[in-house]
Amino acid sequence: KKILYTLLIILIFRFGASIFVPYLNTDAIKSMMGDGTIMSFWDQMTGGSLSNGTLFAMSITPYINASIIIQLLTVAIPPLERLSKEGDEGRKKLNKLTRYVAIVLAFIQGAGLYVTLYNMSVTSNLDAIVNPSVLTFMVIVLTFTAGTAFIMWLGELITEKGLGNGVSLIIFAGIVSSIPSGIITIYQQFLATGITVKGLAIVAAIIVIAV
């Protein structure tokens, strides 16, 4: 039951990664993604949600950052340190505080992502953001923030009722979801260099044997 419940939550997560954010031009965003850049690495972590301009473009990163901040502040601030030593009740309060901090960070990070996309679209002469305005800014940033909040909730559901750590499984699901497209890209690159399917199979067999 826990495995099926976890798979159901992951399926919902992947469905949400297909919901497009208004006022974003996905074709322009994809053309701005370069190999080896921070944006491309972030896109891989989100399972392609960033380049596709979907609801989960920021993934769970604001929550991870909030958790790190709260853990560091627990050492520096005595009231938080006392909460960490109060057992389950204290941990619940810290988790609640972490959620609030994560929402604030998600809004800030969403605003930063909006500015980044806007600046990149200006320098590249690409309209990544359609009709930029204050309304467009609020819609995009609030949608990104809502997506992060929804992922946090899904992660907590997996942790409470599913199998394993919810945040880790969501990150894993995002990375794994980009593997099929990566395999297709590698296959197309091999075909472009003139290597046949048989030759590709031999190379794959050699790699497997080496591992």
Side-chain angles (χ1 to χ4, degrees), residues 15 46 51 55 80 87 97 101 105 114 121 135-137 142 176 192 210:
F15 175 76
T46 60
S51 60
L55 180 65
L80 294 179
L97 179 61
V101 175
L105 290 180
Y114 177 92
S121 61
L135 176 62
T136 304
F137 171 83
L142 290 178
V176 169

Side-chain angles (χ1 to χ4, degrees), residues 96-143:
K96 188 176 181 180
L97 179 61
T98 302
R99 296 190 200 103
Y100 291 145
V101 175
I103 295 299
V104 174
L105 290 180
F107 184 85
I108 296 173
Q109 188 171 324
L113 180 57
Y114 177 92
V115 173
T116 301
L117 292 175
Y118 178 78
N119 292 335
M120 291 178 67
S121 61
V122 170
T123 55
S124 305
N125 293 324
L126 296 171
D127 295 329
I129 299 175
V130 181
N131 298 326
S133 63
V134 176
L135 176 62
T136 304
F137 171 83
M138 294 303 298
V139 169
I140 292 176
V141 174
L142 290 178
T143 305

Side-chain angles (χ1 to χ4, degrees), residues 63-101:
Y63 180 77
I64 297 174
N65 295 333
S67 300
I68 295 173
I69 291 173
I70 294 300
Q71 288 179 5
L72 293 176
L73 292 179
T74 301
V75 180
I77 301 177
L80 294 179
E81 186 178 2
R82 286 195 294 269
L83 280 178
S84 64
K85 297 178 180 178
E86 290 181 1
D88 292 337
E89 192 65 27
R91 281 194 292 271
K92 289 181 180 178
K93 293 180 180 179
L94 286 177
N95 290 334
K96 188 176 181 180
L97 179 61
T98 302
R99 296 190 200 103
Y100 291 145
V101 175

Side-chain angles (χ1 to χ4, degrees), residues 5 155 186 195 201:
Y5 185 84
I186 294 174
I195 297 179

